């Protein structure tokens, strides 16, 4: 398996540190607002990588932090005049609800920053002792001039380093490459904790260094996030961790490109800001959203449109219909050797595409090729053939995660939606269309009954 390592800027063959095991850290949400579907793109991509690693036989230990203290969460709490935890808990719940709806495998640990302050204080003390950090006006800063590799991940030119200048903000542009805050001295109205270097609160970057080290050790395999995390966040994580521990921090860095909407940056002011619940509220299925999020290669911008979502839903229903048919066909008889060979070849091609820097469209193409080949002869399949094909879909879906575990054909909500379409066609006197919808549903084993109380349906 090979993928693009941001650190070396090339495709590299994946090699784990400890045989058969992968330590994986993904930057989780900053919980000051509801997650948007851009965040979900990053989480679903990370899930795809994790699922493929598991599919390939690795035991994955996955840690995903929750940033429940930083500039943004504090600002939000102060705007609302409530304690920090009153803001963060609501958005932590919303984050988990989105992940569940999108069929994202849970991480092994979701450490919260506010529950790891002693670890951060310990790490900052170490950096101070070793001379990589200094105190100034009650805060502690990391001295980037002391770390020769600073700028390697984000490809920042060393000449642009503003040595001696210090920045307190958690987020800043590449143009402001400066010493950054590890610990911010207490300010009125802000939450704070005691520390040997004075009362205060942690900066954002030290959170991930302290928590990844605690749960995965000082040197682990893969670290992921969205591209906006590369600088300064991940650059700073590397600096802090490597200076404190004296060993390489992470072997492979993977970053997912952004999701944009209708060709523009998503923003609340433009009114083009979607959350998953916005989309579900409009009647879209969560698995269609997941399909859309994974279908574009992770290193390309994903231009989100509602038309694209419709197309994702259509592609997904091809797979669901295929599964549904396979569960309902099957003659007595032997397994077809030629079909078995085609299934095996398709699975191998699917895996080969995934192993090539997560070429999802290539992998999906292989799956749809097989579905296209089998569809015309569904009725002639033996039960052994159908079982073999269902096993294939299960294997492929263990990576894609686009079918829910209990997917046994169209969901009730989809059936209701199709019935509503048929009603509309009938009201518009388009009886041909109405009959067509009835026939489509019949083919999926759904029978419509026109009763005085309206249309009812049942499974055959
Ligand atoms: P945040 O809650 O801002 O810390 O972000 C959580 C994750 O979502 C990080 O991995 C970000 O890089 C990622 N992310 C933020 N915005 C987008 C976007 N528009 N598209 C894809 N990923 C994003
Ligand atoms: Zn992080």
């Amino acid at each position: 398996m090979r993928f693009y390592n941001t650190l070396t800027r090339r495709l590299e063959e994946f090699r784990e540190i400890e045989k058969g095991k992968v330590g994986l850290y993904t930057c989780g949400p900053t919980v000051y607002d509801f997650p948007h579907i851009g965040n979900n793109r990053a989480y679903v991509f990370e899930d795809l990588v994790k699922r493929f690693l598991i599919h390939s036989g690795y035991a994955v230990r996955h840690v995903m932090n929750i940033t429940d203290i930083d500039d943004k969460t504090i600002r939000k709490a102060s705007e609302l005049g409530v304690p920090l935890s009153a803001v963060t808990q609501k958005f932590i719940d919303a984050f988990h609800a989105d992940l569940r709806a999108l069929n994202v495998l849970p991480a092994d640990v979701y450490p919260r920053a506010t529950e790891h302050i002693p670890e951060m204080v310990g790490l900052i003390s170490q950096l101070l002792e070793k001379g990589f950090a200094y105190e100034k006006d009650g805060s502690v800063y990391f001295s980037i001039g002391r770390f020769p590799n600073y700028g390697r991940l984000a490809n920042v030119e060393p000449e642009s380093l503003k040595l001696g200048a210090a920045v307190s903000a958690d987020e800043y542009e590449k143009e402001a490459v400066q010493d950054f805050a590890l610990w911010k001295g207490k300010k009125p109205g802000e939450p704070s904790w005691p520390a040997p270097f004075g009362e205060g609160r942690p900066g954002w970057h030290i959170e991930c260094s302290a928590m990844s080290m605690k749960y995965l050790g000082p040197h682990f395999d893969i670290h992921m996030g969205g591209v906006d995390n590369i600088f300064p966040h991940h650059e700073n994580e590397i600096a802090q961790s490597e200076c404190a521990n004296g060993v390489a921090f992470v072997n492979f860095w993977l970053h997912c490109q952004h999701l944009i909407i209708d060709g523009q940056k998503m923003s609340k002011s433009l009114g083009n800001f979607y959350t998953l619940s916005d989309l579900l509220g409009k009647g879209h299925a969560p698995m269609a959203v997941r399909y859309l999020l994974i279908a574009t290669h992770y290193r390309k911008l994903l231009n989100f449109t509602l038309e694209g979502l419709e197309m994702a839903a259509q592609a997904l229903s091809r797979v669901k219909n295929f599964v549904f048919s396979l569960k309902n066909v099957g003659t007595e008889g032997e397994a077809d050797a030629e079909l078995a060979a085609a299934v095996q070849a398709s699975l191998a091609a699917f895996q080969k595409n995934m192993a090539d820097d997560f070429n999802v469209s290539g992998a999906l193409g292989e799956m749809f090729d097989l579905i296209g080949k089998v569809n015309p002869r569904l009725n002639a399949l033996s039960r052994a053939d159908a079982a073999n094909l269902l096993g294939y879909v299960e294997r492929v879906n263990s990576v894609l995660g686009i079918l829910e575990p209990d997917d046994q054909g169209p969901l009730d909500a989809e059936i209701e939606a199709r019935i509503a379409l048929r009603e509309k066609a009938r009201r518009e006197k388009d009886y041909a269309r109405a009959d067509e919808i009835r026939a489509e549903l019949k083919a999926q084993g759904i029978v419509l009954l026109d009763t005085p109380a309206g249309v009812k349906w049942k499974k055959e």
Side-chain angles (χ1 to χ4, degrees), residues 31-35 76 87-96:
V31 282
Y32 73 105
D33 207 341
F34 290 104
K76 183 80 168 226
V87 169
T88 56
Q89 191 55 51
K90 179 168 137 196
F91 300 122
I92 292 173
D93 294 342
F95 157 75
H96 286 300

Side-chain angles (χ1 to χ4, degrees), residues 15-265:
R15 290 267 174 272
E16 71 272 35
I17 297 169
E18 194 184 331
K19 190 154 177 42
K21 294 189 177 169
V22 174
L24 171 66
Y25 189 90
T26 59
C27 282
T30 307
V31 282
Y32 73 105
D33 207 341
F34 290 104
H36 54 63
I37 52 166
N39 301 128
N40 289 333
R41 181 188 192 194
Y43 306 147
V44 166
F45 163 65
E46 290 155 0
D47 184 53
L48 187 76
V49 172
K50 173 175 162 183
R51 281 168 175 270
F52 188 60
L53 288 163
I54 295 171
H55 175 93
S56 307
Y58 291 103
V60 179
R61 177 162 168 80
H62 177 199
V63 179
M64 186 175 205
N65 69 293
I66 290 178
T67 298
D68 59 354
I69 179 160
D70 81 322
D71 293 353
K72 289 193 274 196
T73 42
I74 290 175
R75 200 181 313 129
K76 183 80 168 226
S78 108
E79 274 165 22
L80 298 175
V82 296
L84 192 61
S85 58
V87 169
T88 56
Q89 191 55 51
K90 179 168 137 196
F91 300 122
I92 292 173
D93 294 342
F95 157 75
H96 286 300
D98 273 15
L99 293 199
R100 270 194 305 275
L102 290 169
N103 207 13
V104 169
L105 298 176
D108 296 281
V109 203
Y110 290 103
R112 297 186 189 189
T114 52
E115 291 170 2
H116 294 77
I117 305 289
E119 286 85 346
M120 298 176 209
V121 169
L123 187 56
I124 297 169
S125 302
Q126 247 181 307
L127 289 167
L128 278 166
E129 275 162 35
K130 293 187 175 172
F132 293 109
Y134 58 90
E135 294 178 51
K136 188 175 149 189
D137 306 329
S139 294
V140 181
Y141 293 89
F142 183 89
S143 179
I144 57 174
R146 295 291 320 277
F147 181 52
N149 280 341
Y150 194 85
R152 202 174 132 206
L153 180 77
N155 206 9
V156 180
E157 292 299 323
E159 304 84 78
S160 67
L161 306 188
K162 293 195 182 61
L163 298 182
V167 59
S168 298
D170 280 337
E171 290 172 271
Y172 45 91
E173 300 299 319
K174 271 195 196 176
E175 290 67 45
V177 194
Q178 297 169 15
D179 291 354
F180 58 90
L182 298 168
W183 189 257
K184 306 187 185 201
K186 181 175 168 52
K187 284 198 198 130
E190 284 195 355
S192 62
W193 288 264
F197 29 83
E199 177 107 4
R201 53 112 173 165
W204 173 30
H205 319 297
I206 198 75
E207 299 179 3
C208 285
S209 284
M211 294 190 281
S212 62
M213 198 182 298
K214 172 162 181 180
Y215 295 101
L216 295 169
H219 178 210
F220 59 92
D221 299 286
I222 305 180
H223 196 313
M224 293 196 268
V227 285
D228 57 311
N229 281 163
I230 299 174
F231 190 87
H233 186 50
H234 290 164
E235 192 70 64
N236 293 352
E237 277 187 43
I238 296 174
Q240 299 160 154
S241 304
E242 298 199 349
C243 290
N245 298 322
V247 295
F249 177 40
V250 170
N251 286 359
F252 294 89
W253 289 87
L254 272 84
H255 291 100
C256 164
Q257 251 302 353
H258 275 172
L259 175 145
I260 53 172
I261 291 207
D262 295 323
Q264 286 178 302
K265 189 177 173 347

Side-chain angles (χ1 to χ4, degrees), residues 287-324:
M287 288 300 95
V289 177
R290 179 175 170 107
Y291 186 102
L292 179 73
L293 295 178
I294 60 171
T296 297
H297 191 261
Y298 77 99
R299 287 197 282 126
K300 293 207 178 97
L301 279 171
L302 164 54
N303 186 25
F304 177 89
T305 61
L306 289 176
E307 296 78 61
L309 185 53
E310 289 295 338
M311 279 162 64
Q314 280 170 24
L316 185 60
S317 61
R318 272 188 78 196
V319 187
K320 288 167 74 167
N321 288 342
F322 185 63
V323 171
F324 189 69

